[in-house]
């Protein structure tokens, strides 16, 4: 029974793999509208690499025993992890990954926590740096002060500084792109908090230079109005928090560990998104409205712009040599979803899965050397 199920599942995966290969071929010719996959899934986007789905399924089936289950069919998580494996296999077979970018909360550390010294992801990132892979953290957290990023990422930054001192890594490239795509800091062992602020004019994409400050502030004004409307309509115990490139709602200061429910947060995201989409500045300035777990923020730009800016700043790295790892690809305003426009992606559910993903990446990379 398990053997038959394994064969049928693998055949399905091979069929989808071939559909993707056809789409990539049409994409290369500029005729992707003709692809079979496009007809079946009109919203399908760009593929930066093939996906080795049949082989990836066999890899995950060996670990998760998907075919051996009698009553529980392949689940959403089975498919998600199979897609991750297919992406890793393709990337390692086409050469080394030049840039690996991460979300922060829920990807590298638990929501609202920090990247502490004992976090198991740190030695894995150091191993990548020692092999010449560049590391970027593309996060919604938008700070203009290096010290605040150090507070969130001190375990990693201290470890990189120590690895340089011990000559375990040489000239590592670690950058932080905060506020989705608004504030760039680069690791510098001689800088305060080990981070050096990089002026926006140094790394901005050409398209970003066309964004007028008046339009940016007008968009944030509209967003603030939409957020206030949501506070009133749902009687949220929330207050507005505005920055130079973002605006959001947070629990009222002094209200203890107040927690908004998911439905309130997602309603706020969707209402704000719709109002901005229909507004004049919303048609001129890219933005991202997202559910941050216990807040809602609207940022100027999004993670596609953030990843593209990292790629450019680090010398023009291509999307098929970049992997973005994040947890927000499904919920309303999922801010990692937009990274798919800039590079390959891996969808994880928690920091432990990020560690497992990096171990799997190492496994596939080592296999290619044999």
């Amino acid at each position: 029974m398990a053997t038959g199920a394994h064969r049928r599942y693998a055949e399905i995966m091979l069929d989808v793999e071939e559909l993707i290969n056809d789409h990539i071929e049409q994409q290369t010719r500029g005729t992707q509208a003709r692809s079979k996959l496009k007809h079946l899934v009109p919203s399908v986007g760009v593929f930066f690499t093939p996906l080795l789905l049949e082989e990836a399924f066999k890899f995950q089936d060996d670990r998760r025993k998907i075919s051996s289950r009698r009553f529980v069919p392949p689940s959403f998580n089975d498919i998600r992890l199979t897609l991750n494996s297919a992406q890793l296999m393709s990337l390692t077979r086409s050469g080394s990954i030049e840039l690996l970018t991460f979300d922060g909360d829920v990807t590298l550390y638990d929501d609202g926590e920090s990247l502490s010294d004992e976090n198991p992801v740190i030695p894995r990132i150091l191993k990548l740096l020692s092999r010449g892979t560049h590391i970027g953290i593309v996060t919604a957290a938008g700070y203009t002060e290096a010290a605040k990023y150090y507070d969130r990422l001190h375990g990693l930054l201290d470890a990189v500084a120590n690895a340089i001192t011990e000559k375990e890594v040489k000239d590592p490239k670690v950058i932080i792109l905060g506020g989705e795509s608004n504030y760039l800091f680069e690791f510098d062992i001689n800088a305060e908090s080990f981070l050096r602020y990089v002026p926006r004019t140094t790394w901005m994409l050409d398209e970003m230079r066309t964004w007028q400050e008046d339009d940016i502030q007008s968009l944030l004004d509209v967003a603030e109005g939409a957020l206030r409307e949501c506070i009133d309509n749902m009687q949220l115990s929330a207050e507005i928090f505005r920055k130079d490139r973002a605006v959001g709602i947070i629990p009222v200061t002094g209200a203890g560990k107040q927690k908004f429910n998911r439905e309130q947060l997602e309603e706020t995201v969707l209402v704000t998104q719709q109002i901005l989409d229909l507004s004049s500045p919303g048609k001129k300035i890219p933005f991202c409205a997202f559910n941050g777990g216990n807040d809602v923020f609207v940022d100027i730009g999004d993670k596609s712009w953030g990843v593209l800016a990292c790629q450019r700043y680090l010398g023009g790295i291509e999307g098929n040599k970049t992997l973005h790892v994040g947890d927000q690809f499904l919920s309303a305003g999922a801010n990692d979803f937009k990274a798919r426009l800039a590079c390959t992606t891996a969808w994880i559910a928690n920091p432990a899965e990020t560690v497992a993903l990096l171990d799997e990446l190492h496994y596939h990379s080592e296999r290619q050397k044999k």
Side-chain angles (χ1 to χ4, degrees), residues 216-232 238-244 246-249 268 271-273 275-276 279 281 287 289 296-300:
I216 289 172
Q217 296 307 316
S218 293
L219 185 142
L220 295 178
D221 289 341
V222 174
E224 182 174 335
L227 293 169
R228 289 189 186 280
E229 180 182 317
C230 290
I231 291 174
D232 292 340
E239 59 188 10
I240 298 291
F241 186 53
R242 183 149 174 175
K243 308 177 185 180
D244 70 322
V247 63
I249 61 168
T268 302
V271 167
T272 305
Q273 176 86 43
I275 290 173
L276 287 171
S279 71
F287 65 90
V296 171
F297 268 88
V298 175
D299 283 327
I300 299 301

Side-chain angles (χ1 to χ4, degrees), residues 76-204:
F76 178 86
N77 285 328
D78 292 328
I79 301 303
R80 177 175 60 81
L81 294 172
T82 298
L83 287 166
N84 286 350
S85 292
Q87 188 62 82
L88 294 181
M89 289 175 177
S90 182
L91 286 166
T92 53
R93 291 188 188 180
S94 62
S96 60
I97 298 175
E98 296 180 13
L99 171 62
L100 194 55
T101 63
F102 298 91
D103 176 39
D105 288 69
V106 188
T107 299
L108 292 175
Y109 44 83
D110 290 329
D111 191 28
E113 300 299 321
S114 62
L115 190 51
S116 56
D117 298 342
E118 65 276 8
N119 191 307
V121 80
I122 292 174
R124 286 144 175 102
I125 291 177
L126 291 177
K127 184 180 291 184
L128 289 163
L129 289 170
S130 71
R131 294 180 173 180
T133 302
H134 303 325
I135 299 296
I137 298 174
V138 183
T139 173
Y143 308 129
T144 56
E145 304 91 5
K148 290 188 175 180
Y149 284 114
Y150 179 81
D151 288 343
R152 301 296 296 271
L153 304 168
H154 59 89
L156 175 62
L157 298 173
D158 289 344
V160 173
N162 183 67
I164 292 172
T165 301
E166 298 296 325
K167 296 183 170 51
E168 295 170 1
V169 297
K170 182 179 180 181
D171 192 28
K173 294 293 184 184
V174 179
I175 59 176
I176 300 168
L177 207 302
E180 311 283 359
S181 57
N182 287 294
Y183 313 103
L184 181 62
F185 289 81
E186 183 172 10
F187 180 87
D188 184 341
I189 197 170
N190 298 312
E192 185 178 354
S193 301
F194 298 132
L195 290 170
R196 173 174 52 82
Y197 176 71
V198 182
R200 194 174 287 145
T201 53
T202 305
W203 55 267
M204 284 174 65

